[in-house]
Structure formats: structure tokens, C-alpha cells
Amino acid sequence: MCRVVDLQQAVLAKNDACAHTLREDLAARGTALVNLLSSPGSGKTALLERELTLARSRKIPVAALTADLATENDAVRLARSQVPVKQVLTDGLCHLEAEMLGGHLHGWLPADTRLLFIENVGNLVCPASYDLGETLRVVLASVTEGEDKPLKYPTAFGLAHLVVVTKTDIADAVAFDEAEFRANVERINPGVEVVLTSARGGTGDGVLLDRALAARDGAPVHIPVMTRKSHHVHDAEDGRAHEAGDAPDGEHTHAPGEHGGHPHPTGSDTVASSRS
């Protein structure tokens, strides 16, 4: 067991180092990275498409990279916003890692990009432990997923700088208890902002974009209690993003070559982009 823990810590330490370098490289070019995490089917692609379209209408240079185990469906949808979009196919890998992400960004990311949105693999376990060099980590949950979602996935919600609730146009139909959800989020991550959105109804349009721009321009970012307790906190004094650090007991990380007994691939990618 100790060898497994040591290996996990080594993998996370290597990822943290890569994330730190990527964060510095992006900051030097004036780009903020926004890492979006959620379960499959939460509606994050629909929300992101609206935010990218809004950014383009405001003439804000943005780009998006979306990761999936298979298909290019999300990239095709996001490309309708007419901003640069790239699809990464992980071929079974359950999360993105900083070194992998840096390789996919090299030579592709437009020089004038102010915001880079990363739509992580649909999964609230593995991606939660891997810092990608983000300025803002956003966790999304739809009203259909239940009010106890934050309690079931404490690392994902506990390390979030912002929590977004999606599909609020059907909240009444599924008897979503907003007060209970907010209480559970507060229990895991005291003080984090919870935003209500509906890609179909237009509720919360532009809030994610505004929060991302504010973080990019130096506004203080919420510092989760879980981050403060981690040995991997960095730049906490000025409110910048954390190093994700270790997963708490009860959640797991994957070392390379240990996901489902198969080697972790580096992922293939395709690009679907258009510029105004």
C-alpha cells in the first residue's frame, strides 16, 4: 500500500511541476486558463458554447480545448461559436494532465488569446486531483444530479474556485432543492460562489465569462479551505490558482499505466477552428 501511495504522490508532484510551468508560460503571454470539470451530461458543452459565442460578440479573444474519450462531437458544437477550438481524444484516459495539455497547446493556441477554456473529460473523480495550470477551476453540476453531489465528490467541489449549477430551467420539474445544494457546497468549500445558469433559458449568461475575465485581470480568486491545508498551495497570498495536490482518503488518482490496466495514451487531437 505504501508503494502505491508513494507512486501517486510522485505522479502528482510531477504534474504539479508541469502545471506550475504551464501557468507561468500562459501568464507571460497574458492568457488565463479556465478548467471546467463536471460529470457527463451536465450541460457544460452547451453552456460553454454560449459563453464562447458571447465572448466573440464582445470581441474578446478566447479559445477552447475539449477532451473526450471518443468522438469529436463537442468540438463540432463549440466551433459553431467561431472561435478557435481543438478536440483532444484521450482514447480511454479519464483525465487531462498538465504535460499532456501543454503539448497540445504548443503551436496551436493563438498568441492574442486572453481566455483559454478547457472542457475536461466528463468525470468528477480523476480530473479533480490534477492541476492544469488553471487560473480558475470551475465545477459544474446540473439540477438533475441531486443536491448531495458536493458531498459525494468532495475533492472536485472542495478545490473549486467557482461552482456552476446548470439546467435550472427544469429545476422545478426535478424538484431541485437549491438551498440544500448550496448548504452542501458550503459544507465542503466554505465561501465559494455558486452561480445558477440555464443554457436553454439564458439564466446566468455571461457570468462565467465575466468571472474568468476578472480572474485574468488580477481580481482575487476564492481560495478553498482544502487548498489552504495542502502542501501544494502556491501564490495563495494574492488569490491566484492553487496546485491541486493530493486527493483525500476515499478518492483515488491514477498513475501512468494503471488506468484500467492499460497504458495511459498521450491522446490524439483534431482542430476545429474559425476566426472572425
Side-chain angles (χ1 to χ4, degrees):
M1 179 61 68
C2 292
R3 292 181 61 189
V4 173
V5 172
D6 288 345
L7 178 58
Q8 290 176 348
Q9 291 177 341
V11 170
L12 289 173
K14 178 182 177 182
N15 183 81
D16 285 351
C18 292
H20 180 73
T21 299
L22 181 56
R23 181 179 287 108
E24 289 188 330
D25 290 346
L26 290 172
R29 60 187 290 166
T31 303
L33 191 157
V34 182
N35 185 11
L36 304 179
L37 289 77
S38 79
S39 300
S42 68
K44 67 178 177 293
T45 304
L47 177 64
L48 182 54
E49 182 184 351
R50 290 183 71 97
E51 298 296 294
L52 295 176
T53 300
L54 181 59
R56 182 174 180 273
S57 72
R58 294 183 183 177
K59 302 188 184 304
I60 301 168
V62 299
L65 181 147
T66 182
D68 258 318
L69 277 66
T71 82
E72 300 171 12
N73 295 348
D74 288 351
V76 171
R77 291 176 59 186
L78 294 180
R80 296 186 301 206
S81 66
Q82 299 182 47
V83 306
V85 174
K86 185 174 188 178
Q87 176 80 57
V88 173
L89 300 180
T90 65
D91 299 324
L93 180 60
C94 58
H95 62 274
L96 287 174
E97 297 177 10
E99 184 176 22
M100 177 197 308
L101 176 60
H104 288 298
L105 296 180
H106 182 70
W108 168 74
L109 187 65
D112 64 344
T113 304
R114 291 179 64 190
L115 295 176
L116 170 63
F117 290 91
I118 304 296
E119 185 179 11
N120 217 315
V121 179
N123 181 351
L124 280 178
V125 181
C126 309
S129 298
Y130 287 84
D131 184 7
L132 297 182
E134 62 260 26
T135 300
L136 194 67
R137 174 178 288 211
V138 182
V139 175
L140 302 89
S142 74
V143 298
T144 62
E145 295 178 65
E147 296 81 0
D148 61 348
K149 200 77 170 185
L151 305 181
K152 290 182 175 180
Y153 298 92
T155 299
F157 285 89
L159 290 174
H161 301 122
L162 178 68
V163 174
V164 174
V165 179
T166 61
K167 305 185 182 181
T168 58
D169 54 299
I170 60 171
D172 290 342
V174 298
F176 176 69
D177 189 330
E178 179 187 338
E180 182 179 349
F181 180 84
R182 287 182 179 273
N184 289 334
V185 170
E186 183 70 13
R187 177 177 171 185
I188 297 298
N189 192 346
V192 69
E193 182 181 12
V194 177
V195 174
L196 304 181
T197 67
S198 168
R200 179 171 294 180
T203 301
D205 272 4
V207 175
L208 175 58
L209 179 61
D210 290 342
R211 298 296 186 274
L213 284 171
R216 184 264 182 194
D217 292 338
V221 172
H222 169 72
I223 305 174
V225 172
M226 189 179 293
T227 299
R228 297 172 194 154
K229 294 178 179 179
S230 169
H231 294 298
H232 297 284
V233 174
H234 107 104
D235 288 340
E237 67 278 3
D238 64 0
R240 292 182 184 175
H242 62 278
E243 301 286 351
D246 301 330
D249 293 341
E251 297 195 51
H252 71 282
T253 59
H254 290 311
E258 294 196 349
H259 177 63
H262 299 291
H264 274 185
T266 57
S268 57
D269 62 78
T270 56
V271 179
S273 65
S274 55
R275 303 281 287 183
S276 57

